[in-house]
Amino acid sequence: MAFETIYRHEGKLNNEIKEKIRAIVPDGFSDSLADRISYSHDYWPIALRWFLDGKLPSMPDCIVWPTNEEQIADIIKIANQEKVAIVPYGGGSGVMGGVVAIKGGVVVDLKRMDAVLEMDEESLMVRVQAGINGMNFERWLNRHGYTLGHIPQSLYPSTLGGWLACKAAGQFSTKYGKIEDIVLALKAVLADGSIIASKPVPRSSTGPEVERLLLGSEGILGIITEATLRIWPYPEERVFISFLFSSLAHALNAVRRILRRGVYPAVIRIYDENETIRHFYNFEEVKGKIILIMVLEGDKKVVELEERVAREECGKDGKELGEKPVVHWVETRFDVRDASKFVPKGFIFDTVEMSVNWKNAMQLYENVINALRGIEGIIIASAHASHFYPQGVCFYFTFGGLPPRDKNAFDFYMEAWDTMMDACIKSNASISHHHGIGITRKKWLSKEMGKRMEMLRKIKAAIDKNNIMNPGKMGDVNEED
Amino acid sequence: MKRIKKYAWIFDALSHVSIATKTRALKHFISGEKKYMIKGKKGDIDAIIKCSLCPNMCKFDCPTFNASKNESLSPAGKAHLAYIFEKGEYDESIVKAIYECCSCDACKEWCFFDYSLADLLRGVRQDVVEEKAVPDDIMEIASGLIERKTMGERRLKEREGKILYFAGCTVQDEAMGIAKAMMKIFDSIGEEYAVLGEEWCCGYPLYNLGFIKEFKQFAKHNADVFKKYSMIVCSCPTCTYVFKQIYPDMGFKINAVIMHSTEYLARMVEEGKINVENLAMDAVYHDPCKLARRLKIMEEPRYLLRYAVNLKEPYFSREETRCCGRGGQLARIDEEISKKIAEQRKEELKSVATDIVTACPSCKIALNAYDIAEIVAMGLK
Ligand SMILES: Cc1cc2nc3c(=O)[nH]c(=O)nc-3n(C[C@H](O)[C@H](O)[C@H](O)COP(=O)(O)OP(=O)(O)OC[C@H]3O[C@@H](n4cnc5c(N)ncnc54)[C@H](O)[C@@H]3O)c2cc1C
């Protein structure tokens, strides 16, 4: 069967090598066409369009489902001998093309390593394998009276390994932290086949925390197989608050003041004018306004105090709207139908998150939105802010539109990205807050990293001498980034 | 009006763009997807595309996915492959994936489109049949049923009566204990019940595997046979569902009252026609998918069990139940995965109580459980 692939490779994996790999994981090996198609993509939005047009991003040669670290190390050994690519795969919910096997090779699906290994209720931590599904893990914790506090919108399809490898951020992150705050210790098989593990202690001053290089590494250094994570008692109390503001700046300021006073609501979301009517069209009052919603949760007494502070600060410039909009958000927060509805109609879209200090926040928002609106064919240019720090905020931009007649979909898509990245760098913001680099952002990484890019390449070259781990992505020693 | 409000954000966005873009956007908005539709297919192409473009927001609850951890067996993964099939590009591995579904509707529980992947795949399977691309092992299931009119052995003897007891293929072939229990209960009530000498399968396997023409022959036959009776009591939730909903949907109306055994038994207890004593055993109830999700029968089983046992609830219960692994003929299509699903569910149930009770012959076999009828028969006073 001949499928057109966007990234072609020579397919170095002959039958002899495949047999060697199959021998390591006899019950977890496939090179069927169905599986190679299913593992040819993640949730990279442009690939949705390609799929409808009969194209696949790339085809891996085979897929393996290991059940332990030793099997992974053995597969990596063969990959090093034969110089074939290894691509770790979690839930395939990444949005940057991170799992696309640009050079073919072996996709290593971690999902059969998904056991909860131990829970220490006294120390509030749990040791778990990296292939565990987010929702199944959170449900397990809830059953035992705890929460991880890491609830990305992709909770349902993603895995712990993917969160760690992309430095993910959950929607409740302002209270519970991002995944790098939640993880205490890691276990991984590195590109040279060695297995490393760090100690699950609250902190240690024992030189550089080398294992943390794997956070955000997107499969270029090794495969994360296990982690020890902080957990929290399941919240006793949950309070919903919403306010309307006349401007985005007022809403941002209210949140900035709340954090400054040491109050960290679990969920804080501020939608710009377009997204306010998009998501809260059921509420008459919202037209032309900015909505702010919050979920405060935890110990009852603490929440009571936090609620008072939050209301006080929001009340200075905003008008209270009650808990209904928050209930609406809770009920629809996993509704992601728009891609299914609009991509077949020919629309191109993506979401782009950036991190910025308070000082530059409004400037970033305006620069990006204005730049997007300057592109012929862009229809939607909007944003919300959903992760907050005393120092700043993450903006989550959405663009959508139709490529002009003389432009193909990918060029149009990249024009939007180029424009946004440019505006971002000019506004002193970081090009990614939590989606990572993958294929889409690779070309801007050097600009973001400066000299650190060289350091990353050296580290990659030292650990991955044969450049087998997710080649063609960031830090590839054979390619200019 | 609500729809207009819902799309106000688009109109707001359009106010910023050039006339040319505005015009094209409206055109695409109205009919842009046309070019991806494939004419003349039984599969619902529009829905399959939508499902395949979703980031798989239901997959964590899909039994075939959870048992295999293979993206090809996740709901959106299967929809993806189904679209590729419908475009005419396929090999056997793609066709096989289209049959790997327990039709448990767990996906539907989480779907904002309210799609059941089983429903979507069923349309595609009709196209597989039309293409003559059905894999041999699946063809064997269908042709065996078409020839013998039952999925296994028939073990019940014919008898005449006012109401019909329809045991179903699985009970007759593999779970006769359920039929015996039902007959014991009928006798204790003094119910004049009939049993067919040659009970035809309800036809669900054919319906499910895409053999609609042949399914209709079964529907016609059964609808004719059922005319004699005022009430039909079924032990199998799937038969109940097929008689109650699929036959009428396909134009085969049944006048008789169709009841699942738990509905019938609950009524008998309520009317004081049977008395059940407590067996003093801890038992956990497993909701069969078809019973809970399609027929919404969740109270009757619990009502009965509260009399008969110390009833325990599993974490995943009622409409959030989990498949036993035998739904959608999976036990025959992929025995290994089917068994894994059963093991996972059994482990979960056993952590609540050593004895499992259910209300479906397939679940009973998969989970090594009691059927409620058996419990009621044991506790008859
Ligand atoms: C609808 C939707 C909503 C989303 N919402 C959020 C959100 O709220 N917050 C957020 O942060 N992200 C979000 N994302 C993005 C995505 O879900 C995250 O990046 C997630 O962390 C990816 O996890 P995954 O298991 O699916 O990884 P994959 O997509 O399988 O992989 C992502 C990258 O990590 C690598 N990788 C995967 N597992 C391992 C491992 N064990 N060891 C080493 N490398 C590995 C892969 O090679 C790849 O480069 C969303 C995506 C979608 C589609």
Side-chain angles (χ1 to χ4, degrees), chain B residues 122-329:
Chain B
R122 233 168 257 136
V124 180
R125 291 169 186 174
Q126 289 184 53
D127 294 324
V128 176
V129 172
E130 209 130 285
E131 278 264 314
K132 301 201 173 14
V134 182
D136 290 347
D137 49 342
I138 287 160
M139 200 66 212
E140 248 169 57
I141 304 174
S143 46
L145 177 54
I146 293 164
E147 194 189 312
R148 294 192 304 274
K149 318 291 186 225
T150 173
M151 289 294 282
E153 292 288 317
R154 286 195 193 95
R155 298 179 211 275
L156 284 176
K157 283 207 190 80
E158 184 171 3
R159 53 175 284 163
E160 294 288 328
K162 277 192 205 142
I163 72 160
L164 175 68
Y165 171 55
F166 192 96
C169 308
T170 313
V171 167
Q172 294 225 28
D173 190 39
E174 299 176 80
M176 270 297 283
I178 300 178
K180 284 184 189 146
M182 282 303 289
M183 293 191 292
K184 183 176 166 194
I185 300 165
F186 286 138
D187 287 339
S188 88
I189 300 168
E191 189 85 80
E192 285 178 40
Y193 69 99
V195 171
L196 298 172
E198 206 175 273
E199 189 183 271
W200 279 34
C201 172
C202 66
Y204 182 79
L206 295 170
Y207 169 79
N208 189 46
L209 299 175
F211 296 83
I212 293 298
K213 213 170 63 211
E214 293 79 0
F215 168 72
K216 284 183 178 165
Q217 288 166 6
F218 280 65
K220 185 173 180 324
H221 170 89
N222 281 328
D224 284 346
V225 171
F226 293 170
K227 279 185 187 138
K228 266 173 70 179
Y229 305 101
S230 58
M231 187 199 278
I232 302 164
V233 179
C234 307
S235 280
C236 170
T238 301
C239 302
T240 317
Y241 167 66
V242 169
F243 300 151
K244 264 191 183 176
Q245 290 185 18
I246 303 178
Y247 281 10
D249 283 354
M250 292 214 171
F252 301 96
K253 202 168 165 347
I254 313 272
N255 287 324
V257 175
I258 315 278
M259 277 200 164
H260 181 253
S261 55
T262 53
E263 291 176 288
Y264 171 81
L265 295 173
R267 186 192 281 184
M268 292 301 115
V269 171
E270 219 167 57
E271 291 175 5
K273 292 191 179 150
I274 45 178
N275 286 307
V276 187
E277 73 177 7
N278 197 299
L279 300 172
M281 66 193 248
D282 285 353
V284 55
Y285 178 62
H286 162 80
D287 288 271
C289 308
K290 285 271 176 311
L291 204 62
R293 293 190 176 129
R294 291 266 159 154
L295 294 165
K296 312 284 176 207
I297 298 176
M298 289 165 277
E299 291 314 320
E300 291 84 344
R302 289 177 169 79
Y303 170 76
L304 289 164
L305 288 172
R306 267 183 225 119
Y307 278 96
V309 298
N310 306 326
L311 178 61
K312 307 276 176 198
E313 288 284 349
Y315 187 73
F316 297 109
S317 76
R318 298 179 184 264
E319 280 161 303
E320 276 200 42
T321 185
R322 295 204 142 166
C323 181
C324 72
R326 283 179 57 115
Q329 291 79 54

Side-chain angles (χ1 to χ4, degrees), chain B residues 47-65:
Chain B
I48 286 162
I49 287 180
K50 288 198 172 98
C51 177
S52 73
L53 296 183
C54 168
N56 239 328
M57 298 298 274
C58 60
K59 75 172 168 187
F60 67 93
D61 226 7
C62 168
T64 53
F65 173 72

Side-chain angles (χ1 to χ4, degrees), chain A residues 42-43 87-95 98-99 110 130 151-154 157-163 165-171 217-219 222-225 336 387 396 434-435 470, chain B residues 55 57:
Chain A
D42 52 9
Y43 203 70
V87 183
Y89 191 105
S93 74
V95 285
V99 301
L110 271 294
I151 318 285
Q153 195 192 26
S154 56
S158 60
T159 65
L160 168 61
W163 299 341
C166 294
K167 275 183 87 174
Q171 292 177 327
S217 65
E218 299 183 24
I223 298 185
I224 302 162
T225 56
V336 292
H387 306 276
Y396 190 93
H434 59 264
H435 284 167
N470 211 353
Chain B
M57 298 298 274

